[in-house]
Amino acid sequence: MALVFAAEGLEGGEKLLLLAYTNYTDPHGYCWPSERRLADDCGTSVSTVARQKRNLKAKGLLKSVRRINPKTGEPISNLSRVNLPLLASMRRPARPYDDNLLQQISFDEDPSEHTDSGPDLLKCHSDGYPLSDRQVPPSKMTGTPCQSDSQSLTDPPREPVEIRKDGRSPSTSGSRRERSSGSAASGKTKPPSLTREQRRQVDVLFQALPKELADLVPANPPVNLKTAALEALAAGRPEERTVQQLVEFRMLPKWNKHYASQDAAGPIRKPVGVLLALLERDAECGDARCDERTNVDTGQSCISCGERAVDKRAERVQEAAPEPTAIPRPKQSAKPVMVPAQPAGGPGGEWAPPNDEYRAIRAMTAGRRRHR
């Protein structure tokens, strides 16, 4: 970072981005911060970081290589390297500055002016601390493997770690199951930090909550609660809600319906869980502007929810109606066929053969008896 301060030929934005890069570099200039992290560190937008990054590449001060996660195939932050030798060669020449005279801020009767030691102050604003008698802790620019936000110029002292014979260090806390299911074993990464605009939106929502809901918000809201608040606001989507619409048409109706009467029995044990349930949208119909059966734009009852309720009532009435039973029809009995008697004989009493009519009627009755 001292090389960046002393370099000349850089614009303010370029020098600011280089300062952010050198905050994570190792002694060889390697680092891998994402553009979102650099934008938050510099207080600028991602597009500004990308533009200044192109300028630094054009001047030969920065190189980057794209990286891909071998497990998922998704792109991750680029591996970058700052050209430290070139940056050191851009050191501006020494100039006299009128800011190193301690006598200008001395008093008329100052006993320290007559002593040889003088006050415990730096003698000048030069880059090197050896000009002062004070002992300054050594500064290191080594970055951590995870590019932590808590990176400082001085590495904290480390406690000695006992090494086993097999080369492994003993665990200090947690069981074997916890270690195997931890974030390192499962491949989970730290969730991306919220931007300045997102944090502002969450703060505005929490400040607009009524007292009964504001009392549920913890002093340091967790990340999942902030993410749920941003998801409920749905900025830039058809389900987008203003803070007033979200509180008036979703959170308060749910609170009055499910939690307000129960709150009198005692304090809520899991306030964050209650807030997450209040922020979640119950999509009862396909209308994106509907919350708890109310149109958030007009404040009137949702038409789609009304039609859906009518259809449900019709379905329930139809299901409750008894099914019509079939009326049995009486069986049609066969009409008896009158079979004429066999003629006993002729005119003189002798036997006479059957005629054709008799044969047809006998054949018909015989067939009916077989089918019965």
Side-chain angles (χ1 to χ4, degrees), residues 198-236:
Q198 290 175 337
R199 290 194 296 268
R200 187 193 66 80
Q201 294 177 1
V202 173
D203 293 340
V204 170
L205 174 60
F206 289 161
Q207 293 173 4
L209 294 178
K211 185 180 184 304
E212 58 268 27
L213 300 184
D215 293 340
L216 302 177
V217 181
N220 187 15
V223 178
N224 61 338
L225 181 58
K226 296 180 181 179
T227 305
L230 293 174
E231 182 67 21
L233 292 173

Coordinates of all heavy atoms in Angstrom, one line a residue, residues 198-236:
Q198 N -29.0 -2.3 -0.8 CA -29.8 -3.4 -0.2 C -29.9 -3.2 1.3 O -30.9 -3.4 1.9 CB -29.2 -4.7 -0.6 CG -29.4 -5.1 -2.0 CD -28.7 -6.4 -2.4 OE1 -27.7 -6.9 -1.7 NE2 -29.1 -7.1 -3.4
R199 N -28.8 -2.8 1.9 CA -28.8 -2.6 3.4 C -29.7 -1.4 3.7 O -30.4 -1.4 4.7 CB -27.4 -2.3 3.9 CG -26.5 -3.5 3.8 CD -25.2 -3.3 4.7 NE -24.4 -2.2 4.1 CZ -23.4 -2.4 3.3 NH1 -23.1 -3.7 2.8 NH2 -22.7 -1.4 2.8
R200 N -29.7 -0.4 2.8 CA -30.6 0.7 3.1 C -32.1 0.3 3.0 O -32.9 0.7 3.8 CB -30.3 1.8 2.1 CG -31.1 3.1 2.3 CD -31.0 4.1 1.1 NE -31.6 3.5 0.0 CZ -33.0 3.6 -0.2 NH1 -33.7 4.1 0.7 NH2 -33.5 3.0 -1.3
Q201 N -32.4 -0.5 2.0 CA -33.8 -1.0 1.9 C -34.2 -1.8 3.1 O -35.4 -1.6 3.6 CB -33.9 -1.8 0.6 CG -33.7 -1.1 -0.7 CD -33.8 -2.0 -1.9 OE1 -34.0 -3.2 -1.8 NE2 -33.6 -1.4 -3.1
V202 N -33.4 -2.6 3.6 CA -33.7 -3.4 4.8 C -33.9 -2.5 6.0 O -34.9 -2.7 6.8 CB -32.6 -4.5 5.0 CG1 -32.9 -5.2 6.3 CG2 -32.6 -5.5 3.9
D203 N -33.0 -1.6 6.2 CA -33.2 -0.6 7.3 C -34.5 0.2 7.2 O -35.1 0.4 8.3 CB -32.0 0.3 7.4 CG -30.7 -0.4 7.7 OD1 -30.7 -1.6 8.2 OD2 -29.6 0.1 7.4
V204 N -34.8 0.6 6.0 CA -36.1 1.4 5.9 C -37.3 0.5 6.2 O -38.2 1.0 6.9 CB -36.2 1.9 4.4 CG1 -37.6 2.5 4.2 CG2 -35.1 3.0 4.2
L205 N -37.3 -0.8 5.8 CA -38.4 -1.7 6.2 C -38.5 -1.9 7.7 O -39.6 -1.8 8.2 CB -38.2 -3.0 5.4 CG -39.2 -4.1 5.8 CD1 -40.6 -3.7 5.5 CD2 -38.8 -5.4 5.0
F206 N -37.4 -2.2 8.3 CA -37.4 -2.4 9.8 C -37.8 -1.2 10.5 O -38.5 -1.3 11.6 CB -36.0 -2.9 10.2 CG -35.7 -4.3 9.8 CD1 -34.4 -4.8 9.7 CD2 -36.7 -5.2 9.3 CE1 -34.1 -6.0 9.3 CE2 -36.4 -6.4 8.9 CZ -35.1 -6.9 8.9
Q207 N -37.4 0.0 10.1 CA -37.8 1.2 10.7 C -39.3 1.5 10.6 O -39.9 2.2 11.4 CB -37.0 2.4 10.3 CG -35.5 2.3 10.6 CD -34.7 3.4 10.0 OE1 -35.2 4.3 9.3 NE2 -33.3 3.3 10.2
A208 N -39.9 1.0 9.5 CA -41.3 1.3 9.2 C -42.3 0.4 9.9 O -43.5 0.5 9.8 CB -41.6 1.3 7.7
L209 N -41.8 -0.7 10.6 CA -42.6 -1.6 11.2 C -43.3 -1.0 12.4 O -42.7 -0.2 13.2 CB -41.8 -2.9 11.7 CG -41.2 -3.7 10.6 CD1 -40.3 -4.8 11.2 CD2 -42.2 -4.3 9.6
P210 N -44.6 -1.4 12.7 CA -45.2 -0.9 14.0 C -44.5 -1.5 15.2 O -43.7 -2.5 15.1 CB -46.6 -1.4 13.8 CG -46.6 -2.5 12.8 CD -45.4 -2.2 11.9
K211 N -44.9 -1.0 16.3 CA -44.1 -1.4 17.6 C -44.2 -2.9 17.8 O -43.2 -3.5 18.2 CB -44.7 -0.6 18.8 CG -43.9 -0.8 20.0 CD -44.5 -0.1 21.2 CE -43.7 -0.3 22.4 NZ -43.5 -1.7 22.8
E212 N -45.4 -3.5 17.6 CA -45.5 -4.9 18.0 C -44.6 -5.8 17.1 O -44.2 -6.9 17.5 CB -46.9 -5.4 17.9 CG -47.6 -5.2 16.5 CD -48.3 -3.8 16.4 OE1 -47.9 -2.9 17.2 OE2 -49.2 -3.7 15.6
L213 N -44.3 -5.3 15.8 CA -43.4 -6.1 15.0 C -42.0 -5.6 15.1 O -41.1 -6.4 15.0 CB -43.9 -5.9 13.5 CG -45.3 -6.4 13.2 CD1 -45.5 -6.2 11.7 CD2 -45.5 -7.8 13.6
A214 N -41.8 -4.3 15.4 CA -40.4 -3.8 15.6 C -39.8 -4.5 16.8 O -38.5 -4.6 16.8 CB -40.4 -2.3 15.7
D215 N -40.5 -4.8 17.8 CA -40.0 -5.5 19.0 C -39.4 -6.8 18.7 O -38.6 -7.4 19.4 CB -41.0 -5.6 20.1 CG -41.4 -4.2 20.6 OD1 -40.7 -3.2 20.4 OD2 -42.5 -4.1 21.2
L216 N -39.8 -7.5 17.6 CA -39.3 -8.8 17.2 C -38.0 -8.7 16.5 O -37.3 -9.8 16.4 CB -40.4 -9.5 16.3 CG -41.8 -9.7 16.9 CD1 -42.7 -10.4 15.9 CD2 -41.7 -10.5 18.2
V217 N -37.6 -7.6 15.9 CA -36.4 -7.5 15.2 C -35.2 -7.4 16.1 O -35.1 -6.6 17.0 CB -36.4 -6.2 14.3 CG1 -35.1 -6.1 13.5 CG2 -37.6 -6.2 13.4
P218 N -34.2 -8.4 16.0 CA -33.1 -8.3 16.9 C -32.2 -7.2 16.6 O -32.3 -6.5 15.6 CB -32.4 -9.7 16.7 CG -32.8 -10.0 15.3 CD -34.2 -9.5 15.1
A219 N -31.3 -6.9 17.6 CA -30.4 -5.7 17.4 C -29.5 -5.9 16.2 O -29.2 -5.0 15.5 CB -29.6 -5.5 18.7
N220 N -29.0 -7.2 16.0 CA -28.2 -7.5 14.9 C -28.9 -8.5 14.0 O -28.8 -9.7 14.2 CB -26.8 -8.0 15.3 CG -25.9 -8.2 14.2 OD1 -26.1 -7.7 13.1 ND2 -24.8 -8.9 14.4
P221 N -29.8 -8.1 13.1 CA -30.6 -9.1 12.3 C -29.7 -10.1 11.6 O -28.7 -9.7 11.0 CB -31.3 -8.2 11.3 CG -31.3 -6.8 11.9 CD -30.0 -6.7 12.7
P222 N -30.1 -11.3 11.5 CA -29.3 -12.3 10.8 C -29.4 -12.1 9.3 O -30.3 -11.4 8.8 CB -29.9 -13.7 11.3 CG -31.2 -13.3 11.7 CD -31.2 -11.9 12.3
V223 N -28.5 -12.8 8.6 CA -28.5 -12.7 7.1 C -29.8 -13.2 6.5 O -30.3 -12.7 5.5 CB -27.3 -13.4 6.6 CG1 -27.2 -13.3 5.0 CG2 -26.0 -12.8 7.1
N224 N -30.3 -14.4 7.0 CA -31.5 -14.9 6.4 C -32.7 -14.0 6.6 O -33.6 -14.0 5.7 CB -31.8 -16.3 7.0 CG -32.1 -16.2 8.5 OD1 -31.7 -15.3 9.2 ND2 -32.7 -17.2 9.0
L225 N -32.8 -13.2 7.6 CA -33.9 -12.3 7.8 C -33.7 -11.1 6.8 O -34.7 -10.7 6.2 CB -33.9 -11.8 9.2 CG -35.0 -10.8 9.6 CD1 -36.4 -11.4 9.3 CD2 -34.9 -10.3 11.0
K226 N -32.5 -10.6 6.6 CA -32.3 -9.6 5.6 C -32.6 -10.0 4.2 O -33.2 -9.3 3.4 CB -30.9 -9.0 5.7 CG -30.5 -8.4 7.0 CD -29.1 -7.9 7.0 CE -28.7 -7.3 8.4 NZ -27.3 -6.9 8.4
T227 N -32.2 -11.3 3.9 CA -32.5 -11.8 2.6 C -34.0 -12.0 2.4 O -34.5 -11.7 1.3 CB -31.8 -13.2 2.4 OG1 -30.4 -13.0 2.7 CG2 -31.9 -13.7 1.0
A228 N -34.7 -12.5 3.4 CA -36.2 -12.6 3.3 C -36.8 -11.2 3.1 O -37.8 -11.1 2.4 CB -36.7 -13.3 4.5
A229 N -36.3 -10.2 3.7 CA -36.9 -8.9 3.6 C -36.7 -8.4 2.1 O -37.6 -7.8 1.5 CB -36.3 -7.9 4.5
L230 N -35.5 -8.6 1.6 CA -35.3 -8.2 0.2 C -36.2 -9.0 -0.8 O -36.7 -8.5 -1.8 CB -33.8 -8.4 -0.2 CG -32.8 -7.4 0.5 CD1 -31.4 -7.8 0.2 CD2 -33.1 -6.0 0.2
E231 N -36.3 -10.3 -0.5 CA -37.2 -11.2 -1.3 C -38.6 -10.7 -1.3 O -39.4 -10.8 -2.3 CB -37.1 -12.6 -0.9 CG -37.9 -13.6 -1.7 CD -37.4 -13.7 -3.1 OE1 -36.2 -13.4 -3.4 OE2 -38.2 -14.2 -4.0
A232 N -39.1 -10.2 -0.1 CA -40.5 -9.8 0.0 C -40.7 -8.5 -0.7 O -41.7 -8.2 -1.3 CB -40.8 -9.6 1.5
L233 N -39.7 -7.6 -0.7 CA -39.8 -6.3 -1.4 C -39.8 -6.6 -2.9 O -40.4 -5.8 -3.7 CB -38.6 -5.4 -1.0 CG -38.7 -4.8 0.4 CD1 -37.5 -4.1 0.8 CD2 -39.9 -4.0 0.6
A234 N -39.0 -7.6 -3.4 CA -39.0 -8.0 -4.8 C -38.8 -6.8 -5.7 O -39.6 -6.6 -6.7 CB -40.3 -8.8 -5.1
A235 N -37.7 -6.1 -5.5 CA -37.5 -4.9 -6.4 C -37.2 -5.3 -7.8 O -36.4 -6.3 -8.1 CB -36.3 -4.2 -5.8
G236 N -37.9 -4.7 -8.8 CA -37.7 -4.9 -10.2 C -38.5 -6.1 -10.7 O -38.2 -6.5 -11.9

